[in-house]
Amino acid sequence: SRIRLAIALNKVAAEYLAMNPTTVLVPVSQAFVAILWCLCWFYSASFLLSQVPDDYTPKGFYANYSEAFGTESPCSIYEFG
């Protein structure tokens, strides 16, 4: 039945892990590399963001979407029609 199949499968898996215990280290090493990768990425992103000058981005706010898109007259980046 299915219960015997599950027990047999667990026995085979336990025997495999008993004969090859280093296979348990594969997910641990992958997790370590993933955490290291994320830390390097966070450091790089924060470094790049810290290089943006303070006056490079606007401090105000946009009243509506037309102004934010740059299609309204007082804030127009591009002149439309």
Side-chain angles (χ1 to χ4, degrees), residues 18-66:
M19 296 183 84
N20 301 311
T22 56
T23 57
V24 177
L25 296 178
V26 172
V28 173
S29 63
Q30 286 179 338
F32 178 72
V33 169
I35 290 170
L36 186 64
W37 176 267
C38 288
L39 289 175
C40 289
W41 190 89
F42 290 144
Y43 175 76
S44 298
S46 64
F47 175 75
L48 286 175
L49 286 175
S50 71
Q51 299 302 309
V52 176
D54 195 31
D55 59 347
Y56 189 74
T57 56
K59 299 286 185 231
F61 62 92
Y62 299 114
N64 53 29
Y65 282 111
S66 298

Side-chain angles (χ1 to χ4, degrees), residues 10 16 27 59:
N10 279 332
Y16 176 79
K59 299 286 185 231

